[in-house]
Amino acid sequence: MFKSYRNVASSLRVRNKAVAKASIAPYCSGMEETKQLKAQIDLLQAALDHINQGFTVFDSDLRLVAWNRGLYDMLDMPESIVRRGAHLEDFIRVNAERGEYGPGDIEAKIERRIERAKLFEPHYFERIRPNGQIIAVSGTPLPQGGFVTIYSDVTEERQRQEKLERTVEERTHALQQSEDWLRLVTDNIPALIAYLSPGPVFRFANRRYADWFGHSIVSIAGRPARDIVGDELFAELEPHINRAFEGNAVSYEYQRERLDGTMAYMRSTLIPDMTIDGRTLGIFVLSLDASDQKAAEAALVQSQRMDAVGKLTGGLAHDFNNLLAIMMGNLLTLGRMEPPVGKEALDSKITPMLEAAKRGSDLIQRLLAFSRGKPVDPQKVPVSDVIGSAARLLEGSLPSSITLTIDAEDRCIGALIDPTQMETTFINMAFNARDAMPDGGSFSIALRATDLDSQQAQDLSVPAGEYAVITVADTGSGMDEDSQLKIFEPFFTTKAFGTGSGLGLSMVYGFIQQSGGAIQVRSKLGEGTALTIYLPLVRLQNAGDIGESENKASLKYGSGELLLLIEDDPDVSKTIADQLQNLGFAILKAENADDARQLALDLPELRAVLSDIIMPGQTNGLKLAREIRQNRPELGIALMTGYADWSALADNSSICEFPVLAKPFNDFQLAETLRKILQP
């Protein structure tokens, strides 16, 4: 039994040891876990202490739960209050008492901040400490309550940012100043300057450019070019703009009406703004007012034309003296004839006088048209007609020792040119040739058509195609190579000082270039000179109908219609009255505007009025005709004048709504005019 007891006791000891061992195991395990957790927390704390930011965690009661050393280093917090369980108010009070929040009621500052913290809302702000340090405070609420706050020293970052902002501000100011200087310069340059981006859209325009199109420099920016310049002008400029956007420098001229009604001539250059890889970002626009230059060029052209007129005068005087001799001789012969005189004898005297008068009138009209000149007015004309007109002016002006030869029969060869300037070209060349042939020689003008291939066109700097070719040649003294190189330069002349301006051939060159053509010179000393002009060819159809031709139709006679003739010169009045009566009209004559006005208003049977434009007194024929038309709109009215340019004498009224007969006129011209105004 004892043995059994002993065995039981032994068994109990074994069991108690096992129980004791089993009881101690969890305790040891917990201690191990605690040690591990503490090690992890220490590791986490060490990591947080190495962060260069301050860190705090407050619970839902605003009690401190966790922090790092950055809190001490950055915010200079006393270690006595940085402890677990410390209330947020302790931290705020320290900051408030040392002036972190600025002057004022400390307790009120603390209370406001505690109340705001109890809201547990995300927040971010930056605080400048009394020492200048800038602290960024970022708070984020935690799901279980409380919040974690990060404190960052952003002093250097803000200083860098402030420095950068100052730099940007300084550079912006410098850029603005540069732009102001650029604007000041461009606004005061006597030129129109702009920049177009694709579209095309205006991105920049100086004051003059904006004013030119009725805009301000602000209102023009960002607007499409079409809206600014208008549809009509844009249609003219668009091809040049497109070429510039293709990467080409482009120059062109255009004209535009000013607000006061006068025309302004502009000369523009477009320069593409291109990248290295060949893309066109936009185009620079430079426009200059060429109105004064155009006026100067016109004055220079007129000066040259009048110089040529002076040279023509001697020859024309010779022709006119011959014509007057014909008329005077025949009139004297008629005066000596005893009646009765037969019709054949009368016709033999009258016919030469009529031909002489007609030729004299034609010479006067050509000379006046040549001397008067006109603005550049390109027309499709037969080149042979222009050559013939110039030849008729030259016939009596070149000395008899010079033979004039014209070879220009093909009237289908046309060109788009200003005929008056073309005549001036031939006149200039003829007188240059005359001066090169003091002992006589020959001067010729020949016309033909040719087709220039690409190489020939390239040599002449013109497009390939068909051209009218005019060769003007003389057998004069010729030129050396140096003179040939300078022949078209302004003011270059080989003549003695005071005998030539040196502008004639330079103006010829400018006119040919302006007409889209080219000119070549071939010359040798002692062997004469040949100037060859190339003009883009215009093939004229029905060329036989082009130009002046007198209609040979039968005269249209009147049937006794009553006409009022207003002419202040008695001899002219009698002559025109005889013409009208011979054509079958009844005539009333008036010598002044008052009589004419009264007769026109008082005679209902009156059918038409024929009045001279230039009349004595305050009223001219044009003004009188308009007064009569206003009161008697059914009356036919025609005017007549002996002046080539009567508009300046008729109140500058260059626009006339009535037919105008140029004196002298023949029966056919008079009959045709009356037929037009008497039509029902």
Side-chain angles (χ1 to χ4, degrees):
M1 185 174 180
F2 178 73
K3 185 177 178 180
S4 299
Y5 174 78
R6 225 176 11 182
N7 289 337
V8 171
S10 177
S11 297
L12 287 172
R13 280 197 300 273
V14 172
R15 187 164 51 241
N16 287 338
K17 285 181 181 179
V19 170
K21 188 174 182 180
S23 299
I24 291 172
Y27 175 74
C28 291
S29 176
M31 288 183 62
E32 186 64 29
E33 289 177 359
T34 300
K35 285 179 64 177
Q36 291 178 357
L37 179 59
K38 184 176 183 303
Q40 290 174 353
I41 292 174
D42 290 342
L43 181 62
L44 177 61
Q45 185 67 49
L48 291 174
D49 287 341
H50 279 82
I51 294 175
N52 61 351
Q53 293 173 297
F55 169 83
T56 58
V57 178
F58 286 88
D59 62 17
S60 58
D61 294 327
L62 302 182
R63 299 285 179 179
L64 183 63
V65 176
W67 65 94
N68 72 341
R69 180 161 294 280
L71 188 66
Y72 300 107
D73 299 339
M74 189 180 302
L75 301 179
D76 300 326
M77 282 293 172
E79 293 189 16
S80 58
I81 67 168
V82 183
R83 65 186 187 283
R84 188 169 288 105
H87 198 276
L88 177 62
E89 181 181 345
D90 297 336
F91 292 85
I92 295 174
R93 184 173 296 279
V94 169
N95 285 335
E97 289 178 347
R98 64 188 182 188
E100 297 276 355
Y101 307 136
D105 186 349
I106 291 177
E107 296 302 326
K109 292 178 183 295
I110 295 172
E111 183 178 355
R112 282 198 302 272
R113 282 164 174 76
I114 293 297
E115 292 301 321
R116 193 180 303 133
K118 288 179 180 179
L119 298 175
F120 297 105
E121 294 177 342
H123 56 276
Y124 176 89
F125 59 87
E126 293 182 5
R127 186 173 78 242
I128 301 177
R129 301 187 63 202
N131 62 0
Q133 185 184 27
I134 302 173
I135 302 297
V137 180
S138 176
T140 304
L142 298 172
Q144 298 83 4
F147 55 84
V148 58
T149 304
I150 303 297
Y151 304 88
S152 304
D153 186 345
V154 295
T155 306
E156 291 185 4
E157 182 181 347
R158 292 297 174 263
Q159 287 174 347
R160 284 194 301 271
Q161 183 178 354
E162 183 180 352
K163 183 178 180 181
L164 178 61
E165 289 175 354
R166 283 199 307 269
T167 302
V168 170
E169 183 179 357
E170 289 170 358
R171 292 184 178 178
T172 302
H173 177 72
L175 179 61
Q176 183 63 48
Q177 189 176 41
S178 176
E179 289 180 354
D180 291 343
W181 276 107
L182 177 62
R183 173 69 66 180
L184 180 65
V185 171
T186 56
D187 283 349
N188 285 278
I189 288 176
L192 278 60
I193 300 172
Y195 184 88
L196 284 172
S197 63
V201 175
F202 281 101
R203 295 302 177 193
F204 171 86
N206 70 343
R207 177 177 51 81
R208 291 176 186 270
Y209 197 104
D211 290 346
W212 175 242
F213 289 106
H215 284 265
S216 68
I217 57 177
V218 175
S219 66
I220 200 173
R223 296 278 300 279
R226 183 186 294 273
D227 293 351
I228 299 300
V229 306
D231 291 337
E232 184 177 350
L233 181 56
F234 184 77
E236 180 181 347
L237 304 184
E238 188 176 20
H240 304 298
I241 294 174
N242 291 341
R243 281 202 66 216
F245 273 110
E246 291 170 1
N248 304 296
V250 181
S251 294
Y252 58 90
E253 291 184 3
Y254 70 91
Q255 62 185 51
R256 181 173 179 267
E257 187 175 349
R258 295 189 181 98
L259 295 177
D260 60 3
T262 60
M263 294 303 297
Y265 296 87
M266 303 300 294
R267 184 169 293 128
S268 294
T269 300
L270 308 180
I271 304 296
D273 178 17
M274 302 184 69
T275 61
I276 297 176
D277 59 357
R279 291 179 297 112
T280 303
L281 302 178
I283 54 176
F284 298 98
V285 182
L286 174 65
S287 296
L288 299 172
D289 189 341
S291 303
D292 292 342
Q293 183 177 349
K294 284 286 185 182
E297 288 175 356
L300 189 57
V301 168
Q302 183 65 10
S303 173
Q304 287 294 307
R305 188 176 291 115
M306 294 310 295
D307 179 60
V309 168
K311 295 174 181 177
L312 288 168
T313 303
L316 292 177
H318 175 269
D319 281 358
F320 265 100
N321 285 333
N322 287 340
L323 297 175
L324 291 173
I326 293 171
M327 297 180 72
M328 185 175 292
N330 282 283
L331 287 170
L332 290 171
T333 302
L334 283 173
R336 288 192 293 267
M337 286 183 176
E338 296 291 337
V341 179
K343 186 176 186 306
E344 185 176 345
L346 284 174
D347 286 346
S348 68
K349 305 301 178 186
I350 292 173
T351 300
M353 288 192 292
L354 288 174
E355 290 296 325
K358 183 179 178 182
R359 188 180 177 199
S361 175
D362 182 63
L363 281 172
I364 283 292
Q365 293 300 324
R366 290 187 180 280
L367 183 61
L368 288 174
F370 177 78
S371 63
R372 190 166 65 246
K374 294 181 294 184
V376 175
D377 183 19
Q379 303 172 27
K380 292 180 181 179
V381 295
V383 179
S384 61
D385 285 5
V386 183
I387 295 174
S389 179
R392 283 189 287 275
L393 287 172
L394 289 169
E395 280 174 352
S397 301
L398 294 175
S400 59
S401 59
I402 295 178
T403 304
L404 176 63
T405 304
I406 303 296
D407 181 12
E409 300 298 327
D410 191 347
R411 300 186 70 248
C412 289
I413 299 177
L416 184 63
I417 54 174
D418 182 302
T420 302
Q421 289 220 45
M422 195 74 240
E423 284 188 19
T424 306
T425 294
F426 294 133
I427 298 296
N428 275 317
M429 290 180 172
F431 287 129
N432 281 341
R434 181 200 64 183
D435 295 339
M437 297 183 290
D439 299 325
S442 65
F443 176 74
S444 63
I445 304 176
L447 173 67
R448 62 184 174 87
T450 191
D451 195 349
L452 297 179
D453 60 31
S454 56
Q455 184 58 52
Q456 292 171 317
Q458 185 177 351
D459 293 341
L460 292 168
S461 299
V462 294
E466 289 189 305
Y467 284 81
V469 182
I470 307 162
T471 303
V472 182
D474 65 66
T475 58
S477 56
M479 292 180 286
D480 57 25
E481 292 185 3
D482 184 57
S483 296
Q484 290 181 56
L485 293 173
K486 299 178 180 178
I487 186 174
F488 299 119
E489 293 181 5
F491 306 110
F492 173 77
T493 179
T494 58
K495 299 175 184 177
F497 179 76
T499 60
S501 65
L503 291 171
L505 287 179
S506 69
M507 294 171 63
V508 167
Y509 180 82
F511 164 66
I512 299 301
Q513 290 282 315
Q514 192 176 23
S515 301
I519 184 169
Q520 280 184 328
V521 56
R522 296 190 309 276
S523 183
K524 274 190 177 183
L525 286 174
E527 298 184 15
T529 299
L531 293 167
T532 304
I533 298 171
Y534 296 84
L535 294 171
L537 179 66
V538 176
R539 286 285 180 186
L540 298 176
Q541 303 299 324
N542 302 319
D545 298 331
I546 300 173
E548 297 179 3
S549 61
E550 184 172 322
N551 192 329
K552 302 302 182 182
S554 300
L555 289 177
K556 304 294 183 182
Y557 288 94
S559 302
E561 294 92 339
L562 181 62
L563 307 183
L564 176 62
L565 175 63
I566 309 166
E567 170 61 61
D568 61 302
D569 187 304
D571 293 334
V572 176
S573 177
K574 184 178 185 308
T575 301
I576 297 175
D578 289 344
Q579 283 183 272
L580 291 170
Q581 288 173 345
N582 290 332
L583 289 172
F585 296 97
I587 307 301
L588 280 176
K589 293 192 289 185
E591 295 183 359
N592 57 64
D594 292 335
D595 291 345
R597 189 182 296 108
Q598 193 66 38
L599 289 170
L601 297 179
D602 292 346
L603 296 175
E605 62 272 24
L606 192 65
R607 291 290 309 280
V609 175
L610 181 61
S611 173
D612 194 14
I613 292 179
I614 308 304
M615 302 172 62
Q618 299 298 315
T619 301
N620 59 63
L622 179 57
K623 186 182 294 185
L624 175 63
R626 287 171 176 166
E627 290 180 17
I628 295 173
R629 173 59 54 84
Q630 189 173 3
N631 292 282
R632 295 281 305 271
E634 79 283 1
L635 280 181
I637 299 176
L639 301 174
M640 53 188 178
T641 183
Y643 286 92
D645 187 7
W646 52 266
S647 61
L649 302 174
D651 302 330
N652 293 312
S653 300
S654 58
I655 298 176
C656 181
E657 60 269 39
F658 307 105
V660 178
L661 272 167
K663 298 176 183 177
F665 43 81
N666 59 31
D667 288 349
F668 174 78
Q669 293 169 317
L670 178 59
E672 279 296 294
T673 301
L674 293 175
R675 182 182 61 81
K676 292 177 183 177
I677 66 174
L678 287 171
Q679 285 180 345

